[in-house]
Amino acid sequence: MARKLIIIGGVAGGASAAARARRLSEDAEIIIFERDRFISFANCGLPYHIGGEIKEREALLVQTPESMNARFNLDIRIQTEILAIDPVNKSVLARELNSGREYHESYDDLILSPGARPFVPPIPGIPNDKTFTLRNIPDMDRIIRTIQTDAPKSAIVIGGGFIGVEMAEALVQQNIETSLIELSNQIMAPVDPEMAVPLHEELRRHGVRLMLGQSVESIDTQDNGLHLTLQNGNTLTTDMLILAIGVKPDTTLAGSAGLQIGPRGGILVNDRMETPVPHIYAVGDAIEVKDFISQEPALVPLAGPANRQGRIAADNIFGRQSLYGNTQGTAICKVFNYAVAATGSNEKALRRRGARYEKIYVHGADHASYYPGAKNITFKLLFDPESGRILGAQAVGEKGVDKRIDIMATMIRAGMTVFDMEEAELCYAPPFGSAKDVINQAGFVASNVIRGDHLICQPGELTNGAEDMLILDVRNADEVSACGEIEHAVNIPLPALRRSLDQLPKDRTILVYCAVGLRGYVAYRMLSQHGFKVKNLTGGYRSYQMFKNIGR
């Protein structure tokens, strides 16, 4: 007998589940309920249409109800809201938003894919007609309509996550004077504070007024715009306000149906995407997943995992044994000419859990430096200092960031170590890579640390003072004068170091550094074999500057 499957919510998880279900069963009755008019759209592309990079609105519509029905023979009921789920009688109560008609629909299996809703803080003065969130096509349309009709000269974005940063860029591209307010000391929380420093600089280079460590206390609507009062007492005036503080799982329907909500606020599911209630599954931004590294509960609202979850739920409904392998949180964001990407755990999470870890920094070119157009990649690697297990990676740069983090995401998923990074055989030709890729370089450094061949010092140790060390700068004198130096450092360029050993003490630890760490390592090996106590600054002066500018 053919099964009857109801899917509540489209977009990534729901639409993927429906398509997979049809591929597995030509006979099943598959109904998608969607309260919006759009069932499958590229919500990650919304800011880019606002900014003008994606010219055609229709390009965001991955599938229309008509095209999806024609391809997969689905019963798609848009602008229809599910009011309640009755797990005992296996039915839902639906309401057509246009007519108000309510009716019950039975099911054999149910997939919940309600997504997440923008978090709107309880700031006095919200809501108002000049404040917007961005989660779907109608939200995008309202923002574009306001830009076209009101011609705002200024805008403020609250929140420095993916949507906040992308919206700041979109507004600048529309020639709107833009400010971004972030409560933390950094934007882009998936990376660590020092890795966000180049992004802060890039935003400011493009005219974004960045205000870190600030929050909005109240909003007053006046004739000349919105008046915002900040936590520090300062006031700002703007023509429009974008709230991009984050999202919360939409669990209203699940909670009223008696489904279990987890400690992080998402719907609880197992690795088959089943809720504890028989025949009810849940996928996408509304669910709680396990973090791949820590195995702890997590909320990770990303399109890739949602698509996989939808497919897995359909597999299990139609007799396939399919398990979800937890979530790494692999993500990337465009910040004007830069990209920032991460996978696995960041240092903040590892420290919060009390996990054992070590970290190193590498600054290398995206392809052979002698071939025109090479751009720097700043790469941070987090790993277990005993086993070499890769715990996380982050990268920032103009080119090649996606490639490196994709490689790291694959290595983490495969359970590989920093020793495998040494051996990784990657594409090389001067326009595309280097014989020793950034991945290999990070593997060399981390492996040497574990083997005891390389004692390192972290940039944060220097920013907190290092009075007990002699700081030795082995860069050339012209680099020092052009780029600056660490306070109290002694400069002996690397080529002159061997003939200057008698100038160095053996009763103090020598901290050696160069621009990015490579010459520092050469100096480290030289000095350690001459009996000196020595450490090398991982990532060199470039990493030190990033730490020095955290929160700015």
Side-chain angles (χ1 to χ4, degrees), residues 510-522:
I510 298 171
L511 171 65
V512 63
Y513 76 92
C514 62
V516 297
L518 178 57
R519 284 171 294 172
Y521 175 60
V522 174

Side-chain angles (χ1 to χ4, degrees), residues 282-502:
V283 301
D285 295 356
I287 71 168
E288 207 158 281
V289 296
K290 278 187 180 178
D291 179 88
F292 186 82
I293 299 295
S294 70
Q295 297 296 299
E296 293 180 349
L299 298 174
V300 187
L302 294 172
N307 276 285
R308 295 199 305 277
Q309 293 156 10
R311 178 185 175 91
I312 288 167
D315 276 356
N316 287 300
I317 288 170
F318 289 95
R320 301 289 182 96
Q321 296 301 310
S322 188
L323 303 178
Y324 185 64
N326 301 330
T327 303
Q328 291 172 235
T330 306
I332 189 167
C333 183
K334 179 179 180 293
V335 186
F336 289 99
N337 295 326
Y338 273 54
V340 55
T343 188
S345 290
N346 58 34
E347 187 177 358
K348 292 174 290 189
L350 292 170
R351 191 185 304 120
R352 187 168 57 248
R353 297 198 299 264
R356 180 181 64 196
Y357 73 93
E358 184 58 277
K359 62 180 177 179
I360 59 99
Y361 300 87
V362 169
H363 306 273
D366 72 297
H367 63 249
S369 57
Y370 58 82
Y371 187 89
K375 299 293 183 181
N376 179 72
I377 295 174
T378 291
F379 186 89
K380 178 176 183 177
L381 177 67
L382 296 149
F383 58 97
D384 186 301
E386 294 185 10
S387 68
R389 179 194 179 199
I390 303 166
L391 302 176
Q394 302 164 31
V396 176
E398 293 183 60
K399 289 169 33 185
V401 165
D402 52 344
K403 170 181 174 179
R404 274 71 188 191
I405 294 301
D406 281 344
I407 292 169
M408 296 308 302
T410 304
M411 286 186 151
I412 290 173
R413 178 67 61 171
M416 301 173 81
T417 69
V418 299
F419 306 110
D420 295 304
M421 293 174 66
E422 289 185 294
E423 300 297 325
E425 187 174 328
L426 307 175
C427 289
Y428 164 58
F432 303 105
S434 300
K436 295 178 182 178
D437 190 83
V438 171
I439 298 292
N440 302 125
Q441 293 175 36
F444 295 148
V445 175
S447 299
N448 282 336
V449 169
I450 294 175
R451 294 182 184 116
D453 292 335
H454 189 182
L455 295 180
I456 59 174
C457 175
Q458 296 296 338
E461 297 178 50
L462 282 180
T463 57
N464 295 325
E467 292 81 4
D468 58 331
M469 296 183 182
L470 172 69
I471 302 175
L472 176 61
D473 185 344
V474 297
R475 296 174 297 164
N476 297 329
D478 58 346
E479 292 179 78
V480 175
S481 60
C483 301
E485 62 184 334
I486 298 174
E487 191 175 6
H488 305 305
V490 174
N491 180 225
I492 303 177
L494 181 60
L497 188 56
R498 278 192 181 85
R499 60 178 181 269
S500 306
L501 297 179
D502 58 351

Side-chain angles (χ1 to χ4, degrees), residues 163-176:
I163 294 296
V165 170
E166 290 164 355
M167 274 305 304
E169 180 174 345
L171 292 165
V172 168
Q173 288 172 337
Q174 291 295 331
N175 298 313
I176 298 171

Side-chain angles (χ1 to χ4, degrees), residues 35 104 108 141 165 215 235 275 285 320 325 475 533:
R35 61 187 163 206
H104 289 88
D108 293 313
D141 290 341
V165 170
S215 63
T235 59
T275 72
D285 295 356
R320 301 289 182 96
R475 296 174 297 164
K533 294 183 293 183

Side-chain angles (χ1 to χ4, degrees), residues 159-197:
F162 292 91
I163 294 296
V165 170
E166 290 164 355
M167 274 305 304
E169 180 174 345
L171 292 165
V172 168
Q173 288 172 337
Q174 291 295 331
N175 298 313
I176 298 171
E177 185 180 294
T178 302
S179 301
L180 192 153
I181 299 172
E182 167 57 48
L183 179 61
S184 174
N185 68 343
Q186 67 164 106
I187 65 167
M188 298 306 300
V191 301
D192 292 311
E194 74 278 13
M195 297 295 286
V197 169

